[in-house]
Amino acid sequence: EAGVAQSPRYKIIEKRQSVAFWCNPISGHATLYWYQQILGQGPKLLIQFQNNGVVDDSQLPKDRFSAERLKGVDSTLKIQPAKLEDSAVYLCASSSLQARNTIYFGEGSWLTVV
Amino acid sequence: KQEVTQIPAALSVPEGENLVLNCSFTDSAIYNLQWFRQDPGKGLTSLLLIQSSQREQTSGRLNASLDKSSGRSTLYIAASQPGDSATYLCAVGGAGNMLTFGGGTRLMVKP
């Protein structure tokens, strides 16, 4: 079974530039999560989708972050414009409706804003 | 708002030691608690999941306990090995399967 795929793995951009990260969850998983993990901290949930609907985006900085999951499969997280404090690993995860508590994480997309 | 704290932040032990990692949370109204392992440059791998009605779970050399009323969980690692070196994260599950993570404990097991 293929895992959660994320790209790009690494990205360096200047502040005020934009960046987009892509995630393809495990096939059949209805729920998709984006987490932000700043170095030395635990992951923080940014947004949770169930199919193509948003379940929770209360911690998503909506003035600069956006995310979509148009067809209920893969998802894109965008940051525009980026700030220095956005430097972090962006982790995508997915779970099935039948086994909600079993969450599979991708390896993350590492962002450095300079 | 749920807050999760892990102590210690870092731990270095010689191989073969038994060790305990601690996790505390502020809101006892939880659905479950999970322990994850994170290797450098990698994603998270779930180690143990304890439902709110359970007191502990075991997998091999790992044992996790949950005391909901006191807002505490511990992860016990028996006979530690260098391959156990990683960051261990505690995550509390709330409504809608929302996970709130602690800051993690970075474990180094020296040969």
Side-chain angles (χ1 to χ4, degrees), chain A residues 9-10 33 35 37 40-45 48 55-56 59 91 95 99-108 110, chain B residues 1 31-32 34 36 38 40-46 49 51 87 89 95-104 106:
Chain A
R9 287 296 316 279
Y10 305 95
Y33 314 80
Y35 285 86
Q37 186 176 22
Q41 299 181 17
K44 180 182 81 171
L45 179 68
Q48 177 181 344
V55 174
D56 186 277
Q59 299 190 92
L91 294 164
S95 62
R100 296 171 182 268
N101 295 330
T102 304
I103 298 177
Y104 297 86
F105 282 81
E107 294 194 330
W110 294 66
Chain B
K1 178 187 172 186
Y31 283 64
N32 54 62
Q34 295 191 60
F36 289 86
Q38 186 173 32
K42 302 292 186 181
L44 281 65
T45 301
S46 180
L49 167 67
Q51 299 292 351
T87 296
L89 293 154
N97 208 30
M98 309 290 183
L99 293 180
T100 302
F101 283 85
R106 294 184 305 281

Side-chain angles (χ1 to χ4, degrees), chain B residues 2-6 23-26 33 90-92 100-104:
Chain B
Q2 180 73 268
E3 293 184 4
V4 182
T5 303
Q6 291 187 243
C23 172
S24 61
F25 47 94
T26 55
L33 186 142
C90 165
V92 171
T100 302
F101 283 85

Side-chain angles (χ1 to χ4, degrees), chain B residues 1-61:
Chain B
K1 178 187 172 186
Q2 180 73 268
E3 293 184 4
V4 182
T5 303
Q6 291 187 243
I7 295 174
L11 183 63
S12 180
V13 300
E15 181 177 5
E17 272 203 10
N18 302 324
L19 53 98
V20 175
L21 308 183
N22 296 293
C23 172
S24 61
F25 47 94
T26 55
D27 185 350
S28 61
I30 67 172
Y31 283 64
N32 54 62
L33 186 142
Q34 295 191 60
W35 284 92
F36 289 86
R37 170 181 172 141
Q38 186 173 32
D39 292 285
K42 302 292 186 181
L44 281 65
T45 301
S46 180
L47 297 173
L48 289 165
L49 167 67
I50 312 176
Q51 299 292 351
S52 62
S53 58
Q54 297 175 322
R55 297 288 296 213
E56 66 177 342
Q57 282 287 340
T58 297
S59 176
R61 295 182 292 108

